[in-house]
Structure formats: C-alpha cells, structure tokens
Amino acid sequence: MKRGLLILLSVCVLTTAAYFTASKWAIRHETLTFFDASRNRPVQVDIAVRRDKEMQANAGMITLPVAVLNHGNTVKFTEYSFLANVFAARGYMAVSIQHDLDTDAPLVTKVGEIYVGRLPVYERGVQNIKFAVKELKKIQPNSDYDHLTLVGHSNGGDISMFYAKEFPDDVKKVVTLDNLRVPFMTDGKFKILSFRSHDSVFKPDPGVVPDDDICEKAGITVVNTGAQHTDMSDRGPDTLKTKIQGLLDKFLDDDSKLAPVNGKPKILEQPAQQSNATDPSKIAQYTPSVN
C-alpha cells in the first residue's frame, strides 16, 4: 500500500513537471519598460501569456484573468518564471513587476516601526502595480484588472498582502511565498495560499501568519514546505519548484480539494528537515495532511 502510494505520488509529480514543461512552449514572454513621469521612475514588467488565449482576447472573444507577481529583495522580476508559467498555462496574463531600482535605498529593518520601517517600500510597490495596470490597459484592454490575483515572494509577498489590505475589492486571490512582515487578512474576503519555509534566518514577525483556527475560519491555506526562504524563486531546486507549481495549480482550481471549501482549508505540513524537501524518494513522507 505504502509502495503504491509512493509510486502514485511520484507519477503525479512527473506529470505536473511534464505538463508545465510542454505548456511553456506555448507561452509568450515579453519584457516592457513603462515610464512613470509623475515619479520620474521606470517600471519594467515581464508579461507571460498563452499565445492562443492572447489571440482570443485580442479578438474580443474572452477576457484574460490577471496575476501580478512581485519579487523578493535582491531577486529580479524575471526570476519567477516557474510561477508565471503556471498562471499563463491556465489562461492568465501573468505580469511580473520590477519594484526595485539600483538607485533605490537598500531595504532596512527598523525594529519598533510599522512593518519594521518598510511601509514606504510597500507603498511604492502599490504605486508600481497601479501604474503598470494603467499602462497595460492601453495595450491589452481585454483583461480583468478589477479582480487581480496577487503573488509575491518575501518582500514581494508583503507588497501583495499590503495591496490587498488597501484595495480588497480589487483582489480575487493572494499567494505568498514566505512573506515576513505584513499580517494576513483574515476577514475571508478572498482566498489566500501561503508557502512557508523552515529557515533559521528568515522568520515571520509575530502575528503575520495566523494560527490554525483562524486560518480555518478565514479560508487560508498554509503550506509548510520545509524549504529554505531563498529557494522560492527560479534559483531554487527543481523538485521544490515542481511541488509548488502543482499545489498552486490545484489552488487556482475552485473545484480542487486543496482549495478552501466553505471557508475550511487544509493546513499542509511537511517535515522540517531540508534534505527531505528536495528528495523525490521522500515525497510520500510529506504528503499533505490535515491538522
């Protein structure tokens, strides 16, 4: 029985990898640079979209859902293609935004200040998203900019959550990868999926991740990956990225067992040992379970 489960899970992982590998050839990536004259600031975006869905949208046949991807500190906006391709494969227009410029001040930590002194960074991120959306409406009007799916890693996850707090009516879903500063919204207005690391250096501030009871009531899905914080980008191991892709794909499917149902999500656990997180032979040992 256990051997059969291991084989089944291994096949699922391989199938997921094959699906996204095949799909990415049908996905078009384009990097654009907009200029915000009001802030004297360039805003670069990388667009990932399925060619057939883009053609249908251009013909006015469909409206593309929009996912906005926000990078972590010191990671480029183009280093989350493993996430962008999931959204594009499902028919989204995935928009990755470069929030930081070389001329920007380094990210600071000021204990005792709101969001440890990073509020200006989050506010700038919101401005970048708002500006990018305004410009994208001009070149791809047949997209749904009123119900965004916000995605972000680390600092980008905090930007995503902060945006959702500021403009909850414009948000459909939020996906974070180890955001550390901005607390989750718990009013249940939209679904939240968060992948968490097991990292001795990067730890969330108290109160950022709600406890299990609050997650259950609010429809929040938490995935404890056992991975390192800095591995949650294209730089990370393929096994981790494939696992995140598969769980994200299920979360985006409203009929999936992984998605919150009637406000009651699954809290997913994986062991703390980093070695298991990237070893395909151990996949049966950290099969998602309900706590």
Side-chain angles (χ1 to χ4, degrees):
M1 182 70 176
K2 189 173 182 180
R3 178 181 174 84
L5 178 61
L6 176 60
I7 294 173
L8 176 60
L9 289 169
S10 299
V11 169
C12 289
V13 170
L14 291 173
T15 302
T16 300
Y19 169 70
F20 290 115
T21 300
S23 296
K24 71 180 182 180
W25 299 112
I27 295 170
R28 182 180 72 84
H29 282 265
E30 180 182 12
T31 299
L32 303 172
T33 301
F34 302 125
F35 188 79
D36 186 350
S38 67
R39 295 186 295 156
N40 192 33
R41 183 182 184 88
V43 178
Q44 282 190 299
V45 301
D46 183 81
I47 298 172
V49 61
R50 258 177 55 178
R51 298 177 188 275
D52 59 332
K53 295 298 183 182
E54 183 179 35
M55 291 176 62
Q56 292 175 32
N58 290 339
M61 299 169 60
I62 62 171
T63 300
L64 297 173
V66 178
V68 176
L69 279 63
N70 304 288
H71 63 87
N73 185 39
T74 74
V75 188
K76 294 297 183 182
F77 68 123
T78 52
E79 292 186 89
Y80 295 90
S81 62
F82 83 105
L83 296 175
N85 286 338
V86 174
F87 287 98
R90 291 186 66 98
Y92 283 70
M93 180 172 71
V95 181
S96 301
I97 300 177
Q98 178 65 43
H99 288 290
D100 303 334
L101 304 178
D102 291 339
T103 53
D104 291 336
L107 202 63
V108 300
T109 299
K110 296 180 180 178
V111 178
E113 293 190 12
I114 186 170
Y115 306 131
V116 295
R118 295 180 183 178
L119 179 59
V121 174
Y122 305 153
E123 292 175 332
R124 184 180 70 205
V126 167
Q127 289 179 298
N128 289 339
I129 294 172
K130 287 286 188 181
F131 177 72
V133 164
K134 184 182 73 171
E135 296 302 307
L136 287 167
K137 286 180 179 178
K138 300 174 184 177
I139 60 177
Q140 181 44 273
N142 294 322
S143 295
D144 185 1
Y145 302 101
D146 296 327
H147 304 90
L148 300 175
T149 294
L150 297 170
V151 188
H153 172 219
S154 190
N155 189 62
D158 287 319
I159 290 174
S160 299
M161 200 66 72
F162 184 80
Y163 187 103
K165 288 176 179 287
E166 294 292 298
F167 304 100
D169 293 337
D170 298 343
V171 177
K172 183 177 181 181
K173 294 183 177 75
V174 176
V175 179
T176 72
L177 295 91
D178 228 28
N179 65 303
L180 304 177
R181 309 297 181 184
V182 181
F184 290 21
M185 289 187 68
T186 58
D187 58 8
K189 286 183 69 71
F190 42 74
K191 296 176 181 178
I192 297 174
L193 169 65
S194 185
F195 295 95
R196 312 308 304 178
S197 75
H198 181 77
D199 197 302
S200 61
V201 177
F202 297 93
K203 295 182 178 296
D205 290 343
V208 170
V209 182
D211 61 31
D212 292 359
D213 289 341
I214 294 176
C215 284
E216 183 174 349
K217 293 176 182 178
I220 298 170
T221 302
V222 175
V223 180
N224 294 313
T225 66
Q228 295 295 297
H229 176 86
T230 54
D231 282 344
M232 295 182 174
S233 70
D234 285 348
R235 304 175 186 180
D238 289 342
T239 48
L240 173 63
K241 290 183 290 186
T242 297
K243 187 169 185 66
I244 290 175
Q245 284 180 319
L247 293 173
L248 173 59
D249 189 54
K250 291 179 181 178
F251 174 75
L252 296 176
D253 183 353
D254 289 338
D255 295 327
S256 170
K257 293 180 181 179
L258 179 62
V261 179
N262 297 325
K264 294 185 178 181
K266 294 185 177 181
I267 309 301
L268 306 178
E269 293 290 347
Q270 296 175 0
Q273 291 86 354
Q274 171 63 15
S275 59
N276 288 355
T278 58
D279 185 350
S281 68
K282 304 292 180 65
I283 190 167
Q285 298 183 24
Y286 56 88
T287 305
S289 59
V290 181
N291 290 331

